[in-house]
Amino acid sequence: MCLVFLAAAVGLVYAGYYFLGGWGVAAAIIVGLPVLFHFYEIYGRRTNDRPWQWFRARMGWGLGVEELARRLNLGAADLRGFQPRYREVLIPKKRGGQRRLLVPDEATKALQRCILRRLLAKLRVHPAAYGFVKGRSSIDNACKHAGQALVLTMDVIDFFSNTRAERIEAHLRRVGWNAEAAALLTRLMTHDGGLPQGAPTSPALSNIVNFTLDHRLARFVERHGGVYTRYADDLAISFPLDYSRKARGALQEAKQALRSKGYRYHKLKKLRIRRQHQRQVVTGLVVNAKANLPRTTRRWLRAVAHRLASGKQATLTPEQLQGWLAYRHAVENRSKAAETPPFEAAKSRAVVMRRKQYDPNRRKTGGTQD
């Protein structure tokens, strides 16, 4: 496709020379080429740099219901007639309120697990996605932002229910299913036009469908020297130096990218920009110097351990305390493994300092907090 646009650019310059001579060439270069490259960038975004897959999806071509039924080891008629069923469950949130879950019945759960294992597990997930991915965790997500000068975090409202069925169906058509099979798969994995929180397929689907969102934000942030990650509905962006203008630009880009996918974000409640003299928290871990549990949590665990050792009643059972201690041990080990050697850290900071432009809005930073 690059060759097609290159040929169009050459043809534009030649047409300008043929009709207007030297002035036509100048006009084609000054006016025509920027417009042509602008449309090329838009086309690349629309097709995800895969024009054939995009064209095939637009035409409704691809694998059919019979092939889908064969891969799931079911009959095509049984698959078409299957009706997913859910029951609503309300569970309390940690900070108050209730979370609504849609739990599938046994037949629906078995079918969705089969879809997850045989179909969804083979689809691409962006490297910046750390939630619900084998081999990645919230600890790994936090370690990516440890020791940064500026950390920006934001939270998506109703992440699963706002991952719309239309996007899921369009993505399934892009990866090779025809219109009927994509519509059937979407019906089997969605409820009321979105992903049901509580279904086995919803976490994996949320990562698969948001590949383009993660790609757009990761490319933008990395181009400006920062780090981007997403853990489910929690987005985190960090920069090695206090880039005020770049942080504002990244925030605006994240807002536009989320709106383009149909998401809304917490504008005041969970939108935070933290510098080194403030407590920087990513997925529940403090990352000012290295990923670590908050100081209040560490003190609480010591108090619980002391009360249990003294034979007194505590807020945790011995088994729950062992789980917390194992988590703390995992955080400490992962933080040590992710630490950059002092020489390499100083070298990378020197490179960034040489490349960065002076920002008059940059603030001085103080000590760290944990």
Side-chain angles (χ1 to χ4, degrees):
M1 192 53 62
C2 292
L3 295 177
V4 174
F5 277 91
L6 181 61
V10 173
L12 181 65
V13 174
Y14 179 78
Y17 176 77
Y18 181 82
F19 289 105
L20 299 175
W23 289 105
V25 174
I29 294 175
I30 296 174
V31 179
L33 290 183
V35 174
L36 185 64
F37 284 118
H38 175 69
F39 280 106
Y40 175 72
E41 184 178 2
I42 294 176
Y43 180 78
R45 287 184 181 180
R46 291 282 181 88
T47 64
N48 196 24
D49 296 326
R50 295 186 170 192
W52 170 243
Q53 287 85 342
W54 176 83
F55 178 75
R56 184 177 61 185
R58 297 287 292 183
M59 297 301 294
W61 301 341
L63 302 174
V65 176
E66 287 72 18
E67 175 61 19
L68 175 62
R70 186 191 68 81
R71 295 190 182 189
L72 297 178
N73 198 23
L74 294 171
D78 296 336
L79 200 58
R80 286 188 175 100
F82 190 89
Q83 295 296 327
R85 291 182 173 83
Y86 302 88
R87 60 184 176 88
E88 182 176 315
V89 177
L90 298 177
I91 61 174
K93 292 183 179 180
K94 184 185 298 185
R95 299 181 180 179
Q98 290 183 323
R99 177 176 284 108
R100 176 174 175 260
L101 298 182
L102 292 171
V103 181
D105 63 6
E106 292 303 320
T108 305
K109 187 182 298 183
L111 177 58
Q112 290 177 344
R113 284 176 175 170
C114 184
I115 293 173
L116 173 64
R117 184 174 62 255
R118 299 190 179 187
L119 301 180
L120 301 185
K122 301 177 181 180
L123 299 180
R124 290 191 305 167
V125 174
H126 198 274
Y130 281 81
F132 320 118
V133 180
K134 185 177 181 180
R136 307 177 198 173
S137 66
S138 60
I139 303 174
D140 299 316
N141 180 66
C143 287
K144 295 290 290 186
H145 304 278
Q148 299 283 65
L150 186 147
V151 176
L152 184 156
T153 56
M154 59 193 307
D155 183 82
V156 180
I157 300 174
D158 297 331
F159 177 66
F160 286 103
S161 59
N162 284 325
T163 304
R164 306 307 298 167
E166 296 81 8
R167 292 181 58 210
I168 297 169
E169 183 175 351
H171 190 87
L172 292 172
R173 291 175 66 173
R174 282 197 297 271
V175 298
W177 298 103
N178 67 15
E180 182 187 7
L184 177 57
L185 266 174
T186 302
R187 181 175 66 81
L188 295 175
M189 297 185 293
T190 59
H191 181 75
D192 289 339
L195 289 177
Q197 187 173 1
T201 51
S202 294
L205 262 180
S206 67
N207 284 333
I208 293 167
V209 173
N210 284 309
F211 184 95
T212 54
L213 171 70
D214 295 330
H215 177 71
R216 173 179 174 178
L217 291 178
R219 183 173 61 177
F220 180 88
V221 174
E222 288 171 4
R223 191 164 62 237
H224 292 83
V227 177
Y228 161 80
T229 62
R230 179 179 61 82
Y231 189 87
D233 58 348
D234 294 324
L235 278 65
I237 298 171
S238 61
F239 293 97
L241 295 175
D242 196 347
Y243 295 124
S244 298
R245 287 181 297 178
K246 291 184 179 181
R248 290 194 296 268
L251 178 59
Q252 293 302 320
E253 180 71 13
K255 291 178 179 179
Q256 294 174 11
L258 289 173
R259 280 197 294 263
S260 70
K261 302 300 182 183
Y263 292 122
R264 297 177 298 119
Y265 57 92
H266 290 281
K267 297 182 179 179
L268 298 176
K269 186 178 179 182
K270 296 184 179 180
L271 176 60
R272 298 183 177 90
I273 299 177
R274 295 290 183 263
R275 294 172 168 83
Q276 271 288 326
H277 64 278
Q278 300 168 306
R279 194 174 76 157
Q280 301 168 334
V281 179
V282 177
T283 51
L285 298 177
V286 178
V287 295
N288 286 75
K290 63 179 182 179
N292 200 1
L293 290 174
R295 183 180 300 169
T296 54
T297 303
R298 300 199 305 269
R299 289 176 175 174
W300 169 66
L301 288 177
R302 286 196 296 267
V304 170
H306 177 72
R307 290 187 67 86
L308 289 176
S310 303
K312 300 179 181 178
Q313 187 176 3
T315 54
L316 294 178
T317 64
E319 292 76 16
Q320 291 173 331
L321 177 61
Q322 288 302 316
W324 270 101
L325 294 179
Y327 177 66
R328 185 181 69 179
H329 184 68
V331 171
E332 293 172 352
N333 287 344
R334 186 65 187 86
S335 298
K336 290 179 181 178
E339 283 182 356
T340 305
F343 173 76
E344 294 295 332
K347 181 179 177 181
S348 62
R349 284 195 296 269
V351 170
V352 172
M353 286 293 291
R354 284 199 300 269
R355 291 180 178 177
K356 85 177 191 70
Q357 295 179 348
Y358 175 71
D359 184 357
N361 297 321
R362 182 185 172 206
R363 299 179 181 178
K364 295 182 178 180
T365 59
T368 62
Q369 293 184 6
D370 64 344

